[in-house]
Amino acid sequence: MSTFKQLQEIMASALELPTDAIRENSTMEEIEEWDSLGHVHIMVALEQAFDLYMDVDDFAELDSVPAILQYLAAEHAA
Amino acid sequence: MKISDNQFEKLLALQSAQEIKSILALRGMAPTLQQAGKLRQHLASLGTARTLRVGIVHTYTSELLDPWLHFSAALNQFDLDLYHAPYGTTVQEATSDSGLSRHNPDLTLLLLTREDLHPAFQVPAACIKAEDKQDIAEQAAKTLLGIVRQFRDTVGGHIVVTLLPEQTPPGLGLYDVMAEQSETRWWHGIKADIAIRIREELSGVSFLDMDQLVMQVGRDNFFDPRLWYSSVFPFSSDGALAICNAVTSIGASLHLTKAKVIVVDADNTLWGGVIGEDGIDGIALGPEHPGRAFVDFQKRLLSLQQRGFILALCSKNNPEDLNEVLLSHPHQLLKNEHFAAQRVNWLPKPDNLQSIAEELNLGLDSFVFVDDSDYECSAVRHSLPAVDVIQVPSRPTDIPACLDALARLEIVSLTAEDLEKTVMYAQERMRKTQREQLSETGGSIDDYLRSLNMKMSVRLDDTASVARLAQLTQKTNQFNLTTRRYTEKDITGMITSERFFVYHFSLADNFGSSGIVGLAIVELSAANKARLDTFLMSCRVIGRMAEQAFLSRVVKHLKTRGIEQLSAEYIPTRKNVLVENFLPDNGFQTSGDGGYTTCLGNTASGAGAPADDFPITIEGPVQDEHI
């Protein structure tokens, strides 16, 4: 499964949305359910799925699907 | 423990919520947020038992608990309807028109912090002067009780009170436990005081001890400082799930059919190995591995009995082999007297469970069945879907904890009667054995009753037993002539009145004492006449002639008071057909108006029969100073 597909499922589950509501260019601004609480759920789910320990100061910057994908790519490279 | 993709697929393939629940509980499996969401959907598709309405009042972020609460509720077949009070409001929600009241919760969860109770908790405990500590503790308890009381007065349902534990080790570190100004000791004292006062002063309120959950999960894993500092949410996923499981357990014990009986298998459950093959010296039970795990599991079962659950034994074995272990294995903790019922035979287990249910007069939906065998577990699951089936883990080291996470085995209260109950069933079984043994040797029922050595104690106008007497009028349905329900106040009124005699009795025999099980209330209606207002007896002593003995002693006492005529009535209900003929059978004549009377002078009839006709030694109240 591609990283995007995985992310799509994680986010849809965390926000209780259908999978196709999450697109490759989705941002926090345009998805109503992606509020500050939904954001914490996404971050927690990401950590568990990708076995990460994220810095809380990074949370705020990960406010779009491209930003999250970029972060995951960097983490995997590291 | 993480759930692997492979394990997760297997869970999603299961079609029984109970099976999913017991597997997760047994293996201590912790789902990820995403897995919890998927499992919740799967569980919901299997059907729900009922909606559980939960209201949360909180002084820190609570919404991040939601996915865990939904998951934990779904595991117990609840469909959750959740309301969060606005952030930081507490007693503002304790009004009849608040959002919380309008939500009409089954369960209100109060998530409070110690700082909410007293500002002194903002500084390290070691900084508080010793002489101020008692005052602060008292004020903190008073504030909390005051808050809870306001909710109790305005919101229905059950209330669960929590206080957020300290997220760091005690201020004085490892030395804390020894220190004069120990923070841990001071906190535990406050907490214990609060919990006891909630039990004694409020009804329908549970204090949920979060410190216990911290111990279970471990402090480092229970909290997530990142979420605390960024979102005022203290808990990690593990911590959140532990809290939600505890809250749903309380919901389950209140709103699901109560579990009452735990039926255990013997081989590879109470001990390792098979007694019929390995023999008493060959089974694993004792201080050496793996025997120690089985000893510990037996300890857990004894603890569950102390919670008020009844234990029963169901094993495919030769009775002699099994009895040898119960009687003479040096490390066997569970003895004959701990089991309210035993089925040691070669019949199918579903049949045995059904016959245990009949013997104990309890529904199969109150049964938890514990067995190691795939075959027996699936047989019971298949034939008796109402029974909760717990398969004992194959690794002995996993066995002692295998019932710990079962929500239906949590309790929200514990009374003397609950504990008495298990003892009572065991005593009843021993009486039955004695009856059967006597009958085999040609003894009559009367021989049996005499062999019990019964002693009845009759008391008159006993103000110390008011609560129990009121409870008897409230709960007794079958052996009850008039089914009149009385409050404690009513009973006290009659005890202190000159116009009423309030008699009760308790019964003891070779096997134990019943406590107070019978009540008679007599009203003096004229100089030499009286009316039997209430005559009832708890079912637990039926069939021992106690009712006749009690009536005869009441009559004997009335005669000493110059009463010549006693009137009585039978008021039929759906449940008291048992006593339909009690009055005519005991010397009462119909009196035309649908009632009954008996002349107390007529000693030939049952109501006046002398007490030595009964296989029971009676004491009081005629010999008492009352006379």
Side-chain angles (χ1 to χ4, degrees), chain A residues 6 9-10 13-14 16 36-38 40-42 44-45 47-49 51-56 59, chain B residues 2 31-35 37-38 40 61 63-68 70 224-227 230-231 237:
Chain A
Q6 247 179 305
E9 279 196 12
I10 289 166
S13 160
E16 298 187 31
S36 57
L37 288 170
V40 177
H41 286 316
I42 295 172
V44 170
E47 284 196 335
Q48 292 172 340
D51 211 8
L52 304 168
Y53 186 81
M54 296 164 69
D55 187 336
V56 76
F59 282 14
Chain B
K2 279 187 192 173
T32 65
L33 196 57
Q34 197 184 0
Q35 288 172 331
K38 281 188 186 162
R40 172 192 160 192
T61 303
E63 288 84 352
L64 289 169
L65 289 172
D66 288 8
W68 302 111
H70 278 288
D224 188 332
R226 296 169 307 163
L227 301 184
S230 65
S231 309
S237 294

Side-chain angles (χ1 to χ4, degrees), chain B residues 370-579:
Chain B
V370 184
D371 200 301
D372 65 296
S373 141
D374 282 329
Y375 172 78
E376 304 295 359
C377 286
S378 59
V380 172
R381 266 197 194 107
H382 183 255
S383 337
L384 308 172
V387 174
D388 227 333
V389 175
I390 302 298
Q391 185 166 9
V392 175
S394 51
R395 281 193 300 249
T397 48
D398 292 339
I399 294 178
C402 79
L403 298 175
D404 289 359
L406 211 63
R408 285 179 81 211
L409 297 181
E410 292 292 346
I411 53 172
V412 292
S413 65
L414 191 59
T415 65
E417 275 72 31
D418 291 328
L419 297 177
E420 227 170 65
K421 186 176 60 187
T422 69
V423 175
M424 183 192 80
Y425 277 108
Q427 289 170 356
E428 193 51 42
R429 203 170 50 77
M430 289 190 277
R431 285 186 194 102
K432 198 179 151 210
T433 312
Q434 180 151 333
R435 193 170 65 221
E436 284 162 1
Q437 282 169 353
L438 265 171
S439 130
E440 275 166 24
T441 58
S444 68
I445 285 286
D446 196 53
D447 294 334
Y448 156 68
L449 290 175
R450 288 191 191 281
S451 75
L452 291 176
N453 255 329
M454 287 188 281
K455 288 183 182 63
M456 174 180 283
S457 165
V458 181
R459 293 273 167 274
L460 174 65
D461 291 345
D462 172 17
T463 47
S465 304
V466 169
R468 174 62 182 158
L469 298 181
Q471 188 191 43
L472 276 173
T473 72
Q474 298 291 336
K475 282 190 168 176
T476 310
N477 296 316
Q478 297 185 57
F479 201 106
N480 195 337
L481 279 179
T482 54
T483 321
R484 294 193 171 105
R485 313 293 192 191
Y486 291 120
T487 63
E488 293 186 23
K489 208 175 144 199
D490 296 333
I491 299 284
T492 307
M494 291 187 277
I495 285 178
T496 49
S497 161
E498 294 278 302
R499 207 151 50 83
F500 287 90
F501 290 136
V502 178
Y503 307 87
H504 69 70
F505 79 87
S506 43
L507 192 67
D509 68 9
N510 286 346
F511 296 102
S513 169
S514 67
I516 298 172
V517 283
L519 167 70
I521 301 175
V522 173
E523 184 185 14
L524 309 179
S525 43
N528 56 355
K529 289 180 181 171
R531 182 182 71 87
L532 189 61
D533 174 271
T534 295
F535 191 86
L536 63 80
M537 191 176 79
S538 162
C539 283
R540 66 174 80 163
V541 288
I542 276 173
R544 288 194 253 161
M545 296 184 77
E547 60 276 30
Q548 283 108 321
F550 182 44
L551 178 64
S552 98
R553 187 47 65 105
V554 167
V555 163
K556 188 171 177 183
H557 175 250
L558 288 173
K559 281 200 277 191
T560 67
R561 293 305 187 94
I563 302 300
E564 292 165 9
Q565 194 184 12
L566 179 64
S567 62
E569 61 191 317
Y570 164 65
I571 304 175
T573 67
R574 269 178 42 238
K575 293 184 172 168
N576 71 350
V577 65
L578 183 69
V579 288

